[in-house]
Amino acid sequence: MEPRTPDPRTAEARAPDPRTAEARAPDPRTAEARAPDPRTPWQALTRPRFLSGPWPWRAVAYLATGVLAGAAAGLVLLVLGVFSLFLVGLPPLLLSGPALGALERFRLRLVDRDPAPDPHRVPAAPGLAAWLRLRAGEQATWRELAYALLLATVLWPLDLAVLAVGAGLPLALMSAPVQLAVDGHEAKVVKAYLVTTWPGAFATALLGAALLLALAYPLAAVAGARAALARALLAPRDAPAGGIGEVIASRARLVDAFEAERRRIERDLHDGAQQRLVALTMTLGLARLDAPPGPLADQLAKAHAEAGRVLTELRELIHGIHPQVLADYGLGPALADAADRSAVPVDTDVELPRLPRAVESAGYFAGCEALANVGRHSGARRARITARHAHGVLRLDVEDDGRGGADPARGSGLTGLADRIAVLDGTLTITSPPGGPTLLRVEIPCPVPSSPARAAGSASSSPRTASSSGRA
């Protein structure tokens, strides 16, 4: 049997077509087109088509407008600084930062396509006085003033120097033929290089063009660095944005839902299980009275006593979940009630309006946990609770004269209490040296509600100052 000879046409058909292989190879131009558009000059520097794109012109425009804005800012700050010696220009000097900050955030669009939102909050009350108070107390205002001073003294001369080297020098070299044509005999380029012939003039122009293309890269890098500095100082670092703001809002909703669930459980236990236990206790008491003396009466007496203990424990549980005095009268009376039930004598000094429910609940349970720790671990003879609301912050102090040495790591409940307060952006501070005394301080930021419902609640329980001693 003769071996089969491969058909040359079949071999040719099976061979890869070089045109097909070339068509299947990835086109670098297509890959570049599919890449996301650069957002800053630093990202544009890595693209092959940087020089043919708009980013070199954007960088030059950003630095040039920075020179103009910086020179104008320096002149304005100088004039306001002179008038500030007579206390006339001091308010405009302090508030010149926000005006320049708004201008700089607008200029950032030249070299930064990501928006830079305004970090300032909207005043809660209308009027110029409320606006001035809010602006004077914001960190963003002082950051903008610092940026204005930096721009007026350092940044705009730096921008001018970069433009002079990166754009001015190459353009001066490229203008050599024009200068020679105007003068007719010679051209003195950049006040240092003398050109007297046309070949020399065109060679100087070519050198300037090459230098312009080469210096476009460091010029864009400097513009990117300037934009990054402006964003770092003028973008809202302390104002949550995007996903962080949503997380904070979600956390607030979870806190409100948790407190609503606690109130629902307390209401169900109070209106349901507690009432049934009261009815059972009364029924057992009546049966005990009607039963003749003997073993049955003894068992009924034991059941009646046990039902009474269960009822007492249930009332304590209901009170621990969400006391009714806290819901009806607020944090001040609730803390006074907790002090009356403390195992250690407690003096209270409380002056509080009605606060948001979540803040009142957190403050109440912080005070209760602190008093429980005083009774269990401190060996104190006396304690004191002080509570104030000032400047939008609730401050609660619990002091005792015990042995000190409180350590959250030993399972005293302080770690969980700190976590509960941190949910409301509050802080818990413990000062407890060995030998005492111990001070537990809780600070929770909260505004005083101004809604009609809360105002009515505040009217029914006006701020009170109590000085009472709990039972020994």
Side-chain angles (χ1 to χ4, degrees):
M1 184 175 183
E2 295 182 358
R4 297 180 61 184
T5 304
D7 189 356
R9 294 175 297 177
T10 306
E12 181 181 358
R14 291 179 179 176
D17 188 358
R19 294 174 298 176
T20 306
E22 181 181 356
R24 292 178 181 178
D27 188 359
R29 295 174 297 178
T30 306
E32 181 182 357
R34 291 177 180 177
D37 293 335
R39 313 294 297 176
T40 64
W42 288 349
Q43 296 178 2
L45 284 173
T46 61
R47 304 300 173 87
R49 296 185 178 182
F50 167 74
L51 293 176
S52 61
W55 287 102
W57 302 102
R58 285 173 171 265
V60 170
Y62 182 71
L63 294 176
T65 54
V67 171
L68 297 177
L75 180 61
V76 171
L77 291 179
L78 180 61
V79 173
L80 292 179
V82 172
F83 280 101
S84 297
L85 298 177
F86 307 98
L87 301 179
V88 177
L90 188 58
L93 177 63
L94 295 178
L95 297 176
S96 60
L100 183 63
L103 175 63
E104 288 298 296
R105 283 188 291 271
F106 178 77
R107 280 202 322 115
L108 270 179
R109 301 178 184 179
L110 290 172
V111 290
D112 194 342
R113 292 183 175 179
D114 294 329
D118 190 350
H120 296 288
R121 301 189 300 271
V122 178
L128 180 61
W131 186 86
L132 290 175
R133 284 195 301 269
L134 180 62
R135 291 294 177 266
E138 288 181 319
Q139 294 183 3
T141 300
W142 299 100
R143 287 201 304 268
E144 289 168 339
L145 180 59
Y147 180 83
L149 295 175
L150 187 64
L151 178 64
T153 56
V154 177
L155 295 181
W156 82 265
L158 180 62
D159 293 344
L160 181 60
V162 172
L163 281 175
V165 174
L169 177 61
L171 291 177
L173 294 175
M174 293 173 63
S175 66
V178 177
Q179 296 181 37
L180 183 60
V182 171
D183 186 86
H185 299 285
E186 63 181 14
K188 196 169 186 179
V189 182
V190 295
K191 303 297 183 181
Y193 181 59
L194 186 63
V195 177
T196 58
T197 62
W198 285 105
F202 285 112
T204 303
L206 290 177
L207 176 62
L211 195 60
L212 181 65
L213 297 178
L215 292 179
Y217 288 91
L219 189 143
V222 172
R226 280 279 287 107
L229 176 62
R231 176 175 286 277
L233 290 177
L234 303 177
R237 294 184 300 176
D238 50 358
I244 299 178
E246 179 59 29
V247 168
I248 293 178
S250 176
R251 185 179 66 179
R253 291 192 296 268
L254 286 175
V255 171
D256 293 339
F258 176 70
E259 294 301 326
E261 185 66 16
R262 290 175 66 96
R263 290 193 298 270
R264 185 192 65 79
I265 293 174
E266 182 270 338
R267 184 172 59 252
D268 292 344
L269 290 176
H270 183 274
D271 297 339
Q274 181 179 245
Q275 300 303 322
R276 293 183 180 179
L277 272 177
V278 170
L280 176 61
T281 304
M282 294 178 62
T283 302
L284 289 175
L286 293 175
R288 177 186 174 187
L289 293 176
D290 294 339
L296 179 59
D298 296 338
Q299 293 297 326
L300 288 174
K302 291 180 181 180
H304 183 261
E306 187 66 25
R309 285 191 290 269
V310 172
L311 182 59
T312 301
E313 292 180 1
L314 181 61
R315 286 172 176 169
E316 291 294 330
L317 176 63
I318 294 173
H319 196 277
I321 292 176
H322 195 277
Q324 193 64 32
V325 64
L326 179 64
D328 292 342
Y329 301 104
L331 180 57
L335 289 175
D337 179 67
D340 291 337
R341 294 183 291 106
S342 173
V344 177
V346 181
D347 299 329
T348 60
D349 183 9
V350 179
E351 292 183 2
L352 293 174
R354 290 307 301 266
L355 301 174
R357 291 188 178 93
V359 174
E360 287 186 340
S361 179
Y364 172 76
F365 287 105
C368 290
E369 182 67 28
L371 291 179
N373 287 335
V374 170
R376 296 170 187 169
H377 310 294
S378 70
R381 294 186 300 271
R382 200 162 195 87
R384 180 179 180 84
I385 293 182
T386 305
R388 294 288 187 275
H389 181 274
H391 307 293
V393 177
L394 167 66
R395 174 176 291 180
L396 173 66
D397 293 343
V398 181
E399 307 171 75
D400 68 77
D401 57 0
R403 64 177 68 96
D407 186 5
R410 293 185 301 184
S412 58
L414 297 177
T415 302
L417 184 60
D419 293 340
R420 179 187 181 97
I421 295 170
V423 171
L424 300 172
D425 292 331
T427 58
L428 183 143
T429 307
I430 302 172
T431 304
S432 183
T438 297
L439 170 63
L440 182 144
R441 171 167 293 174
V442 174
E443 292 180 327
I444 304 175
C446 63
V448 177
S450 58
S451 62
R454 301 297 284 174
S458 178
S460 64
S461 59
S462 59
R464 51 178 280 175
T465 302
S467 180
S468 62
S469 298
R471 60 178 183 273

